[in-house]
Amino acid sequence: MQVIVLGSGAGEGIPAIFCECRLCAEARQNKIFHTRSQVLLDGELLIDFPPDTRYRALCTGIDLSKVNNILITHSHSDHCYVADLQMQYARRGDGEPQTPIHVHANRTVCALIDDRQPRDSNLTVHMHKAYETFSAGAFTVTALPATHMPNEECLIWLIEKQGKTVLYATDTGYLQEEILSRLTERGIRLDALIADGTYGTSDFRDGGHMNFGENEKLREQFLLRGIADTNTRFFITHIFHGAARDSATLKKAIPTGYELLCDGYVIEI
Ligand SMILES: [Zn+2]
Ligand SMILES: [Zn+2]
Ligand SMILES: [Zn+2]
């Protein structure tokens, strides 16, 4: 499985538009960016649809016309930019039929998209609840509950294809015990974990994101319970510009066993 990281930053991205903090200034200077988090799996499954989607596709030369399924974690605008989803019509520019796209999401996101969909849209929306397993093209996906917003069932995704398994877990606090026990019961052994590490070295906690201490604890638990082993790769995404005072500090603080994702990173598993 190939995972292309189109975006790896929190809601503001790094650099944040008007910010002069060291992390943002260094990102501008070194051109190492963390736009709003998004990944593309095997060229056909997108996870999340941030406002940077169109521009990232232009910059990278990645052709998103083969995408036939989109998983959306929750309704925050850095993950669900409805205005661009509204532009997806059933007919191509030359009048030929457009590839249908299936969007998988929670009730809130489905309602948001449905409300504003043009009549001749090529999107079909599928509502899912936590612990449901479904097919998305060649992938088998299980929705798991994030800990992120009290008034919305935000989802993280367990993705399986041809014996490879990835857990994409952003916009969540530390994973609920029930998730860990269900993964253990199902005998899941991850090839990769892509985890929210929003707050990095900062002490700030709101329960809806993780910091590096929690990332470290999660890796230990996964290894202890056999959800991961020595072949599992661990990545941090959704990094925030308050995660460290500068890029050297951030780099030094990455928890043992993890790699910090940046835009353009390609994971082959
Ligand atoms: Zn977010
Ligand atoms: Zn900043
Ligand atoms: Zn969010």
Side-chain angles (χ1 to χ4, degrees), residues 130-171:
Y131 298 113
E132 258 183 55
T133 297
F134 57 94
S135 294
F139 299 86
T140 302
V141 180
T142 303
L144 298 168
T147 303
H148 190 54
M149 287 163 85
N151 52 354
E152 180 177 329
E153 189 181 55
C154 304
L155 299 170
I156 59 176
W157 309 104
L158 179 75
I159 296 152
E160 297 167 90
K161 184 185 172 189
Q162 291 167 352
K164 300 288 182 186
T165 309
V166 175
L167 178 59
Y168 188 82
T170 193
D171 288 60

Side-chain angles (χ1 to χ4, degrees), residues 243-269:
R245 66 171 187 274
D246 54 41
S247 55
T249 313
L250 183 65
K251 207 171 161 186
K252 234 185 271 171
I254 303 299
T256 309
Y258 278 90
E259 295 168 67
L260 175 65
L261 292 179
C262 62
D263 295 5
Y265 201 108
V266 179
I267 304 168
E268 301 277 359
I269 50 170

Side-chain angles (χ1 to χ4, degrees), residues 9 18 44 47 88-89 168 196 216 231 262:
F18 301 115
E44 40 179 68
I47 305 186
Q88 311 316 315
Y89 298 102
Y168 188 82
D196 182 303
E216 204 159 0
N231 296 317
C262 62

Side-chain angles (χ1 to χ4, degrees), residues 15-16 19-25 241:
C19 187
E20 289 181 298
C21 80
R22 286 274 295 278
L23 217 52
C24 288
H241 65 148

